[in-house]
Amino acid sequence: MTTLDAQPAARPTGVIHDIGYQRYSGPRLGRRHIVGALFLHGLRAAFGLGRTAKAKIFPWLVVGVVGVVAVVLTAVRAQTGEVVLRYAEFPEVLTILIIFFCAIVAPELASRDLHSGVMPLYFARPLHRADYALARLASLVCATFLLLAGPITVMFVGAAFTVGEVGLVWDEFGSYLGALAYVVVHAVVFGAVALLISSLIRRRAIAAGAIVGAFMLTTPVVVVLTLMPNATANQLAGLASPVSLVSGLGDWVFESTGEAGIGGYGPLYAIVAVALVTGCVLLLLARYRKVASK
Amino acid sequence: MTLIATQSLTKTYGNQVTALSDLTVTVEPGIVGLVGANGAGKSTFIKIMLGLLGPSGGQARVLGLDPTVDGHEVRTRVGYMPEHDCLPPDLSAAEFVTHMGRMSGLPRTTARERASETLRHVGLYEERYRQIGGYSTGMKQRVKLAQALVHDPDLLLLDEPTNGLDPAGRDAMLALIERIGTEFGISVLVCSHLLGEVERICDALVAIEGGRLLRSAQLSDMTTVTEVLSIEVSEGTEELAARLTEAGLSVRAEGQLLLVPLVDDTTYDLILTAVAELDLPLHRLDQRRHRVAELFATEPTEPTEPAEPAEPADLADAGTTTGGLQ
């Protein structure tokens, strides 16, 4: 730049100097940091942070509803002492809201990038294609976890002040931690399925519909199977849908007796859940391998 | 240091489609034009340079690194501007370029600073806080260039940067690329199917056709010997041509233009005198480089280089200049 060698000091003050292009010699962070930045960016995007007001409406609507439910439950318990809903039942009752949340956020994370054609820009950078897919999945899972863990924490804090005795607070804490683990299962299963679907569809609205469809349309299958006059079919019915698969897992872990609808098939539910998540992740990686090669 | 070097680089898709075939080329730092028709293999070449595609055969080196092995390292030091639309409409340019800077490994605050710096350098000021969806094509192209530049690469790969721009926009984009190459000190590889466009700003040209090397040449060498003056008069073109030929100049007509090789300053005098004496309305008299198209098209009379075995046989018209042929 010509102004570089012209002495800026000799010029009149108050002039903005064009000092020309500056080469960058500072630090360049490694792949781990880049993936971390992408994860954080995705997590913010999930809640519409750093986006337009329009992008905030739907995620915060869901957050609001879930939050109100938690506050009401906490208030009821504080007033009457009655436990309407245990922590672990909370995500099950709100399943439909989790589905909506995933249907809103997953297309925002995956379909949006595919639609705008921004993927080649990511792949032309130090980021590996698997890094991208896994960072996106982590953002979605973490956002879903926060959606549920926040309200459950509110419920726990409320309950801790209500029960009064230290021993009872510890009991509460135990079931609170158990519920958080259950929330993680929800977030991972729902997130993996939802992100896989939206990575296949470039239009956000269609992807959102497909996600809701994938979770909802499998429910009638479960219902039909539970109505079959065969105990084994009834107990295995839950495997037919991700929703009932996760709630079946919950039954196995949290319902101590055999009254639960899945009989002795708890471990099978666990295996199927792990297989489902693994399959989704592998397909997701394969999908982005294809995207990167285009 | 050699910018890009390939050795018998070959890329085939499946069994049938050959995108690159036995391409051997060496490119020195500077502004390099990669010219070829659509489907000539330009985009495939770029993808191999980025380490996104593995070659089917042969070797490639970018900035002294092998992209198939050190793709990660290469992509840290290279900026890529794709041909097609690649911008999210609902983000502002500042946010988007910042994010892309972070994705290249810049720390958070640095990314933000460099994003606004880079956007300023490509000519976006206050608009950078507006959503990209509302930008004109020219502004979008600038954002695409800015995201390739934000992490201060050593090499820019630009795939058809003037695509979709009007003539004024093209000139502005080309001027910008020229500035990046000269003032910023960043080497640039410009892909284009328009030879006339890139020849104006490039130091070297690589022409490929059907995945094969057509010609690779350093332009700086040829401009000194092949500078021409183009003359345009609104009438009496033939008369002027005759008069100039009389005056001992070798005149060539190209459409409405007359082309005269620039020998020294007296050439100007001869032309101006001739125009004045014939009393012709002179529209234009400017100096320009020899059209590279002619260099690529015409068979040179004397090859100054020994033929290389790596060179495709049908293209063995070794250059009038020191080529980049390996």
Side-chain angles (χ1 to χ4, degrees):
Chain A
M1 206 75 212
T2 46
T3 44
L4 258 185
D5 36 20
Q7 274 115 47
R11 297 187 162 218
T13 51
V15 174
I16 299 170
H17 297 291
D18 183 4
I19 55 169
Y21 184 79
Q22 304 284 297
R23 296 302 301 244
Y24 176 71
S25 53
R28 289 173 195 270
L29 306 175
R31 186 166 149 188
R32 207 161 49 83
H33 285 93
I34 297 174
V35 175
L38 182 61
F39 162 72
L40 214 60
H41 181 265
L43 188 58
R44 283 169 52 82
F47 292 102
L49 302 177
R51 295 274 164 87
T52 53
K54 219 169 70 182
K56 294 184 179 68
I57 297 173
F58 288 113
W60 286 103
L61 199 65
V62 177
V63 171
V65 173
V66 175
V68 166
V69 172
V71 168
V72 168
L73 289 173
T74 312
V76 167
R77 183 165 182 188
Q79 292 298 314
T80 66
E82 189 190 344
V83 181
V84 185
L85 209 60
R86 291 184 297 149
Y87 301 123
E89 288 169 336
F90 187 75
E92 280 183 35
V93 171
L94 297 177
T95 296
I96 189 76
L97 287 172
I98 306 173
I99 294 171
F100 281 155
F101 187 75
C102 285
I104 293 160
V105 173
E108 191 66 34
L109 294 174
S111 310
R112 188 170 167 277
D113 283 350
L114 291 170
H115 185 64
S116 60
V118 77
M119 296 312 299
L121 301 186
Y122 280 111
F123 296 138
R125 289 182 150 73
L127 195 76
H128 192 266
R129 55 175 187 256
D131 296 342
Y132 174 86
L134 295 177
R136 283 304 196 211
L137 181 61
S139 298
L140 177 60
V141 168
C142 189
T144 313
F145 174 78
L146 289 178
L147 170 78
L148 295 167
I152 290 181
T153 306
V154 170
M155 286 164 67
F156 167 69
V157 172
F161 285 111
T162 311
V163 291
E165 279 176 56
V166 179
L168 290 177
V169 172
W170 275 114
D171 288 350
E172 287 288 326
F173 189 64
S175 48
Y176 165 67
L177 285 187
L180 284 190
Y182 191 37
V183 165
V184 170
V185 173
H186 266 88
V188 170
V189 172
F190 283 51
V193 173
L195 195 67
L196 174 64
I197 293 170
S198 51
S199 75
L200 297 168
I201 302 172
R202 299 159 62 91
R203 309 285 311 203
R204 265 183 286 179
I206 299 173
I211 291 167
V212 174
F215 284 108
M216 305 290 250
L217 293 183
T218 46
T219 312
V221 181
V222 178
V223 173
V224 169
L225 284 175
T226 44
L227 294 177
M228 299 267 268
N230 180 328
T232 313
N234 294 349
Q235 288 168 347
L236 291 178
L239 297 176
S241 162
V243 178
S244 52
L245 173 67
V246 175
S247 67
L249 270 179
D251 289 349
W252 177 45
V253 177
F254 295 107
E255 312 281 333
S256 45
T257 52
E259 69 190 281
I262 64 165
Y265 290 108
L268 182 64
Y269 273 67
I271 291 167
V272 171
V274 170
L276 176 68
V277 171
T278 314
C280 283
V281 171
L282 289 179
L283 286 173
L284 189 68
L285 295 178
R287 165 66 181 154
Y288 278 101
R289 192 153 51 235
K290 185 155 175 281
V291 171
S293 69
K294 270 197 284 195
Chain B
M1 186 189 64
T2 307
L3 192 65
I4 294 172
T6 66
Q7 185 70 50
S8 325
L9 191 67
T10 303
K11 177 70 191 176
T12 52
Y13 293 105
N15 307 320
Q16 296 303 314
V17 187
T18 302
L20 291 176
S21 163
D22 200 27
L23 188 73
T24 300
V25 67
T26 306
V27 175
E28 297 301 322
I31 305 178
V32 184
L34 179 63
V35 192
N38 292 331
K42 302 190 296 285
S43 296
T44 303
F45 186 78
I46 285 194
K47 287 203 169 125
I48 293 176
M49 293 305 118
L50 284 167
L52 298 178
L53 281 180
S56 315
Q59 287 179 339
R61 293 193 85 77
V62 182
L63 301 164
L65 300 161
D66 184 345
T68 51
V69 183
D70 302 312
H72 180 84
E73 176 70 12
V74 169
R75 289 192 291 271
T76 312
R77 296 177 55 192
V78 170
Y80 169 51
M81 171 178 173
E83 178 184 357
H84 54 78
D85 203 16
C86 61
L87 303 172
D90 53 354
L91 281 187
S92 74
E95 283 172 89
F96 176 67
V97 177
T98 305
H99 177 56
M100 282 299 147
R102 295 217 71 198
M103 290 301 101
S104 287
L106 297 184
R108 188 197 305 272
T109 41
T110 315
R112 202 170 300 136
E113 285 164 13
R114 278 204 58 92
S116 47
E117 273 295 286
T118 313
L119 284 165
R120 189 173 61 78
H121 280 297
V122 300
L124 289 173
Y125 299 88
E126 294 309 311
E127 311 91 300
R128 67 176 185 267
Y129 299 114
R130 285 192 356 228
Q131 287 191 12
I132 295 172
Y135 284 10
S136 67
T137 310
M139 287 159 79
K140 282 183 184 165
Q141 289 296 93
R142 284 163 191 268
V143 179
K144 279 163 69 176
L145 184 59
Q147 65 78 29
L149 203 55
V150 63
H151 55 292
D152 188 30
D154 296 322
L155 167 64
L156 267 184
L157 301 174
L158 310 179
D159 200 347
E160 305 277 0
T162 56
N163 232 3
L165 298 179
D166 58 21
R170 277 166 189 265
D171 287 346
M173 177 56 77
L174 290 172
L176 191 55
I177 296 167
E178 195 170 19
R179 262 188 72 204
I180 292 170
T182 52
E183 282 176 26
F184 297 10
I186 296 171
S187 289
V188 187
L189 181 78
V190 192
C191 286
S192 182
H193 58 276
L194 299 169
L195 178 60
E197 195 166 76
V198 290
E199 70 172 296
R200 283 160 45 190
I201 57 165
C202 289
D203 304 324
L205 270 181
V206 176
I208 56 175
E209 189 177 83
R212 291 176 164 276
L213 181 69
L214 207 54
R215 186 79 161 274
S216 163
Q218 211 68 30
L219 281 189
S220 50
D221 303 326
M222 68 177 83
T223 48
T224 50
V225 290
T226 58
E227 268 169 341
V228 287
L229 292 175
S230 65
I231 311 155
E232 189 180 347
V233 285
S234 44
E235 57 186 69
T237 310
E238 285 86 10
E239 293 167 48
L240 182 61
R243 176 66 70 97
L244 291 174
T245 313
E246 262 173 48
L249 297 171
S250 63
V251 183
R252 211 153 38 80
E254 187 192 88
Q256 291 301 305
L257 297 175
L258 289 179
L259 299 179
V260 178
L262 177 64
V263 184
D264 51 36
D265 284 346
T266 57
T267 314
Y268 283 107
D269 298 338
L270 283 171
I271 294 167
L272 289 177
T273 313
V275 172
E277 281 173 5
L278 290 170
D279 198 20
L280 296 175
L282 181 64
H283 257 235
R284 187 163 70 153
L285 171 62
D286 59 11
Q287 187 183 339
R288 71 167 188 196
R289 280 172 171 173
H290 201 300
R291 288 270 165 193
V292 184
E294 296 159 23
L295 290 173
F296 279 100
T298 52
E299 197 81 16
T301 45
E302 43 171 325
T304 55
E305 282 183 336
E308 296 286 339
E311 202 174 5
D314 55 327
L315 305 162
D317 50 340
T320 50
T321 59
T322 59
L325 291 179
Q326 189 69 319

